[in-house]
Amino acid sequence: MNLIVRILNWLFGGNRSDDVRPDPQPATRYRRPVSLSARRRQQLFLHQRSYQPSVATKTSPYLFSSYTSDGKRFLDLSQSGDDSLLTSWNLPVFHTPQELADWLGIRVGELAWLVHRTAPDRRPSNVPSSHYVYRWVKKRSASFECGSTSARPVLTQWRLIESPKQTLKAAQRKILTEILEKIPAHQAAHGFVRGRSIVSNARPHVGQAVVVKFDLQNFYANVTFRRVVAIFRSMGYCREAAIWLGRLTTSTVPWSLAVPDQDEATKRLYSRWHLPQGAPTSPALANLSAFGLDVRLSGLLKRFGGHYTRYADDLTLSGDDDFRYALRCVIPLTEQIVRSERFRLNHRKRKVLRRGHRQLVTGVVVNAKPNIRRDKFDRLKAILHNCVKLGPSSQNRDNHTDFAAHLRGRIAFVRQLNPARAEKLQHLFEKIHWA
């Protein structure tokens, strides 16, 4: 009807603005409110409480301050920390690169050199300019690994060991002893934690009806620079301090690094900033990055009446007969939690060990009691017997500088699990003529 009125007014010269009413406004679409979990609401609350916008100034507020996106102003990232939280943890307080360098006992220019602050892309241009010594180690079997949770896995047979050089290693040891070791790991984490070992990791799974073992794929490389910065931010450090601490404890390989078998796909796994396997700070940071994973899996296993422990990248779940029947629910939920925590499982290494088979957890037999593997005990006993009969030099095939200390250490490990067998080995050790 409105269209006919418009046509008549136009034909007879009528005023369209007086006769035609405007079209009604379109109805607004109903949006369903988003429901947030209690954990997500707590995270948003803590983020809003601790977040402070960066102040942009025309002059540099401190040495090596960052720029804005347009490059015309400097950003002050030193005002977003929580000094009271640092004090409660008894952690050192610093906000700027100069304060961090003073705490480390080095010059601020040397600190910038350690993190490649003046490099064009802030990464080592070649292998000699890097602060790490690289060494490729061949794995026992090839595995599919990826540098991120969204990347396509590639088949690789090599693992990169990155050992920091002297100056960087000294700085990382100070960060480890005075910062990271003061933050406790989760109770389920037993790897690289003072007072815990593979024996304490295996003890909760003794005498269980079923033991399930998972392996986290590419554990250190999946802990990226952003996750490390978030760890230091959660301690109470400001953004500027957390960024510099993250650069000191992560690594990226230069593009000119040679790869065995010309496997460039393997090198891409380490091309982004990640935790280097070989740095003293990497195990502690890896445990802190997996804190959320430990919390969620511990709660899941407690709900199903099971037990959960983690030693580095090895996840172990166990339980009684009722837990064995619930595995069809526990295993998919475990995989879902691991994916949501931005880790990846190596499904080729997943094992389900029932009571009728040998249940092995981090090298410890847990069927009836913590015990050493029979084949390892027999092998060590044969080595000691040959040392008595043929001399210790005939058995030192790995060229240990202190072969006696090496054997004493292996006997001490057996003593933790089976003191009776350890006494037999000690009796053979005392018969060896070291002269």
Side-chain angles (χ1 to χ4, degrees), residues 157-175:
Q157 289 186 340
W158 299 92
R159 178 183 292 107
L160 181 62
I161 305 299
E162 304 169 79
S163 303
K165 296 180 181 179
Q166 183 177 2
T167 306
L168 181 59
K169 189 174 185 179
Q172 290 178 347
R173 286 193 180 278
K174 189 175 180 64
I175 295 173

mmCIF file of all heavy atoms in Angstrom, residues 157-175:
data_model
loop_
_atom_site.group_PDB
_atom_site.id
_atom_site.type_symbol
_atom_site.label_atom_id
_atom_site.label_comp_id
_atom_site.label_asym_id
_atom_site.label_seq_id
_atom_site.Cartn_x
_atom_site.Cartn_y
_atom_site.Cartn_z
ATOM 1 N N GLN A 157 63.088 -38.226 13.880
ATOM 2 C CA GLN A 157 63.890 -39.171 14.644
ATOM 3 C C GLN A 157 64.945 -38.466 15.483
ATOM 4 O O GLN A 157 65.796 -39.128 16.067
ATOM 5 C CB GLN A 157 64.576 -40.163 13.699
ATOM 6 C CG GLN A 157 63.630 -41.165 13.064
ATOM 7 C CD GLN A 157 64.373 -42.216 12.263
ATOM 8 O OE1 GLN A 157 65.515 -42.027 11.860
ATOM 9 N NE2 GLN A 157 63.730 -43.340 12.012
ATOM 10 N N TRP A 158 64.896 -37.131 15.559
ATOM 11 C CA TRP A 158 65.941 -36.387 16.234
ATOM 12 C C TRP A 158 65.340 -35.467 17.287
ATOM 13 O O TRP A 158 64.249 -34.943 17.127
ATOM 14 C CB TRP A 158 66.755 -35.564 15.221
ATOM 15 C CG TRP A 158 67.444 -36.423 14.192
ATOM 16 C CD1 TRP A 158 66.957 -36.790 12.975
ATOM 17 C CD2 TRP A 158 68.715 -37.043 14.324
ATOM 18 N NE1 TRP A 158 67.863 -37.582 12.324
ATOM 19 C CE2 TRP A 158 68.955 -37.753 13.129
ATOM 20 C CE3 TRP A 158 69.694 -37.053 15.323
ATOM 21 C CZ2 TRP A 158 70.126 -38.476 12.918
ATOM 22 C CZ3 TRP A 158 70.854 -37.767 15.115
ATOM 23 C CH2 TRP A 158 71.066 -38.464 13.927
ATOM 24 N N ARG A 159 66.098 -35.293 18.364
ATOM 25 C CA ARG A 159 65.743 -34.378 19.444
ATOM 26 C C ARG A 159 66.894 -33.381 19.615
ATOM 27 O O ARG A 159 68.068 -33.768 19.606
ATOM 28 C CB ARG A 159 65.497 -35.134 20.746
ATOM 29 C CG ARG A 159 65.179 -34.234 21.927
ATOM 30 C CD ARG A 159 65.019 -35.023 23.208
ATOM 31 N NE ARG A 159 63.828 -35.872 23.191
ATOM 32 C CZ ARG A 159 63.851 -37.186 23.076
ATOM 33 N NH1 ARG A 159 65.021 -37.814 22.988
ATOM 34 N NH2 ARG A 159 62.736 -37.885 23.067
ATOM 35 N N LEU A 160 66.559 -32.118 19.784
ATOM 36 C CA LEU A 160 67.564 -31.062 19.890
ATOM 37 C C LEU A 160 67.837 -30.772 21.361
ATOM 38 O O LEU A 160 66.921 -30.447 22.121
ATOM 39 C CB LEU A 160 67.102 -29.798 19.176
ATOM 40 C CG LEU A 160 68.078 -28.617 19.193
ATOM 41 C CD1 LEU A 160 69.372 -28.976 18.485
ATOM 42 C CD2 LEU A 160 67.451 -27.389 18.558
ATOM 43 N N ILE A 161 69.112 -30.882 21.751
ATOM 44 C CA ILE A 161 69.564 -30.518 23.089
ATOM 45 C C ILE A 161 70.233 -29.151 22.992
ATOM 46 O O ILE A 161 71.199 -28.976 22.233
ATOM 47 C CB ILE A 161 70.539 -31.557 23.664
ATOM 48 C CG1 ILE A 161 69.900 -32.950 23.637
ATOM 49 C CG2 ILE A 161 70.939 -31.183 25.080
ATOM 50 C CD1 ILE A 161 68.644 -33.071 24.459
ATOM 51 N N GLU A 162 69.717 -28.182 23.750
ATOM 52 C CA GLU A 162 70.231 -26.814 23.732
ATOM 53 C C GLU A 162 70.840 -26.497 25.101
ATOM 54 O O GLU A 162 70.119 -26.298 26.074
ATOM 55 C CB GLU A 162 69.109 -25.833 23.401
ATOM 56 C CG GLU A 162 68.413 -26.153 22.077
ATOM 57 C CD GLU A 162 67.136 -25.358 21.881
ATOM 58 O OE1 GLU A 162 67.232 -24.178 21.502
ATOM 59 O OE2 GLU A 162 66.057 -25.935 22.115
ATOM 60 N N SER A 163 72.173 -26.462 25.145
ATOM 61 C CA SER A 163 72.887 -26.192 26.396
ATOM 62 C C SER A 163 73.327 -24.733 26.416
ATOM 63 O O SER A 163 74.039 -24.293 25.507
ATOM 64 C CB SER A 163 74.104 -27.109 26.528
ATOM 65 O OG SER A 163 73.721 -28.469 26.457
ATOM 66 N N PRO A 164 72.921 -23.953 27.409
ATOM 67 C CA PRO A 164 73.318 -22.536 27.444
ATOM 68 C C PRO A 164 74.805 -22.381 27.724
ATOM 69 O O PRO A 164 75.421 -23.197 28.424
ATOM 70 C CB PRO A 164 72.466 -21.962 28.587
ATOM 71 C CG PRO A 164 72.175 -23.139 29.453
ATOM 72 C CD PRO A 164 72.079 -24.325 28.546
ATOM 73 N N LYS A 165 75.367 -21.330 27.174
ATOM 74 C CA LYS A 165 76.771 -21.022 27.423
ATOM 75 C C LYS A 165 76.943 -20.413 28.815
ATOM 76 O O LYS A 165 75.970 -20.207 29.539
ATOM 77 C CB LYS A 165 77.299 -20.090 26.335
ATOM 78 C CG LYS A 165 77.284 -20.730 24.948
ATOM 79 C CD LYS A 165 77.808 -19.793 23.875
ATOM 80 C CE LYS A 165 77.754 -20.445 22.496
ATOM 81 N NZ LYS A 165 78.231 -19.539 21.426
ATOM 82 N N GLN A 166 78.177 -20.126 29.175
ATOM 83 C CA GLN A 166 78.501 -19.838 30.575
ATOM 84 C C GLN A 166 77.745 -18.626 31.114
ATOM 85 O O GLN A 166 77.151 -18.687 32.190
ATOM 86 C CB GLN A 166 80.014 -19.623 30.709
ATOM 87 C CG GLN A 166 80.479 -19.388 32.130
ATOM 88 C CD GLN A 166 81.988 -19.259 32.226
ATOM 89 O OE1 GLN A 166 82.680 -19.313 31.217
ATOM 90 N NE2 GLN A 166 82.485 -19.082 33.442
ATOM 91 N N THR A 167 77.748 -17.512 30.392
ATOM 92 C CA THR A 167 77.114 -16.289 30.910
ATOM 93 C C THR A 167 75.615 -16.457 31.071
ATOM 94 O O THR A 167 75.028 -16.114 32.109
ATOM 95 C CB THR A 167 77.422 -15.112 29.982
ATOM 96 O OG1 THR A 167 78.835 -14.997 29.802
ATOM 97 C CG2 THR A 167 76.881 -13.816 30.561
ATOM 98 N N LEU A 168 74.973 -16.991 30.045
ATOM 99 C CA LEU A 168 73.521 -17.203 30.129
ATOM 100 C C LEU A 168 73.177 -18.262 31.164
ATOM 101 O O LEU A 168 72.170 -18.137 31.874
ATOM 102 C CB LEU A 168 72.990 -17.597 28.749
ATOM 103 C CG LEU A 168 71.480 -17.847 28.645
ATOM 104 C CD1 LEU A 168 70.700 -16.612 29.052
ATOM 105 C CD2 LEU A 168 71.094 -18.295 27.243
ATOM 106 N N LYS A 169 74.003 -19.286 31.291
ATOM 107 C CA LYS A 169 73.731 -20.341 32.259
ATOM 108 C C LYS A 169 73.791 -19.813 33.691
ATOM 109 O O LYS A 169 72.988 -20.196 34.547
ATOM 110 C CB LYS A 169 74.719 -21.487 32.072
ATOM 111 C CG LYS A 169 74.388 -22.723 32.877
ATOM 112 C CD LYS A 169 75.333 -23.852 32.525
ATOM 113 C CE LYS A 169 74.945 -25.135 33.244
ATOM 114 N NZ LYS A 169 75.858 -26.253 32.876
ATOM 115 N N ALA A 170 74.729 -18.892 33.957
ATOM 116 C CA ALA A 170 74.815 -18.303 35.292
ATOM 117 C C ALA A 170 73.560 -17.486 35.610
ATOM 118 O O ALA A 170 73.027 -17.540 36.733
ATOM 119 C CB ALA A 170 76.061 -17.432 35.398
ATOM 120 N N ALA A 171 73.060 -16.735 34.634
ATOM 121 C CA ALA A 171 71.832 -15.962 34.846
ATOM 122 C C ALA A 171 70.633 -16.881 35.056
ATOM 123 O O ALA A 171 69.772 -16.623 35.909
ATOM 124 C CB ALA A 171 71.596 -15.035 33.652
ATOM 125 N N GLN A 172 70.558 -17.968 34.302
ATOM 126 C CA GLN A 172 69.433 -18.888 34.456
ATOM 127 C C GLN A 172 69.475 -19.603 35.804
ATOM 128 O O GLN A 172 68.426 -19.852 36.404
ATOM 129 C CB GLN A 172 69.448 -19.904 33.309
ATOM 130 C CG GLN A 172 69.088 -19.306 31.961
ATOM 131 C CD GLN A 172 69.155 -20.319 30.841
ATOM 132 O OE1 GLN A 172 69.700 -21.415 31.005
ATOM 133 N NE2 GLN A 172 68.616 -19.975 29.684
ATOM 134 N N ARG A 173 70.656 -19.939 36.282
ATOM 135 C CA ARG A 173 70.753 -20.580 37.604
ATOM 136 C C ARG A 173 70.295 -19.635 38.707
ATOM 137 O O ARG A 173 69.656 -20.067 39.675
ATOM 138 C CB ARG A 173 72.184 -21.047 37.853
ATOM 139 C CG ARG A 173 72.591 -22.277 37.059
ATOM 140 C CD ARG A 173 73.880 -22.869 37.563
ATOM 141 N NE ARG A 173 74.273 -24.043 36.803
ATOM 142 C CZ ARG A 173 73.791 -25.268 37.005
ATOM 143 N NH1 ARG A 173 72.886 -25.463 37.956
ATOM 144 N NH2 ARG A 173 74.206 -26.273 36.284
ATOM 145 N N LYS A 174 70.592 -18.355 38.582
ATOM 146 C CA LYS A 174 70.130 -17.388 39.581
ATOM 147 C C LYS A 174 68.621 -17.256 39.542
ATOM 148 O O LYS A 174 67.956 -17.159 40.587
ATOM 149 C CB LYS A 174 70.805 -16.040 39.339
ATOM 150 C CG LYS A 174 70.574 -15.020 40.451
ATOM 151 C CD LYS A 174 71.363 -13.759 40.202
ATOM 152 C CE LYS A 174 71.149 -12.734 41.310
ATOM 153 N NZ LYS A 174 71.660 -13.226 42.617
ATOM 154 N N ILE A 175 68.049 -17.248 38.338
ATOM 155 C CA ILE A 175 66.586 -17.203 38.210
ATOM 156 C C ILE A 175 65.957 -18.456 38.808
ATOM 157 O O ILE A 175 64.911 -18.392 39.465
ATOM 158 C CB ILE A 175 66.196 -17.026 36.735
ATOM 159 C CG1 ILE A 175 66.674 -15.661 36.208
ATOM 160 C CG2 ILE A 175 64.691 -17.164 36.544
ATOM 161 C CD1 ILE A 175 66.488 -15.483 34.721
#
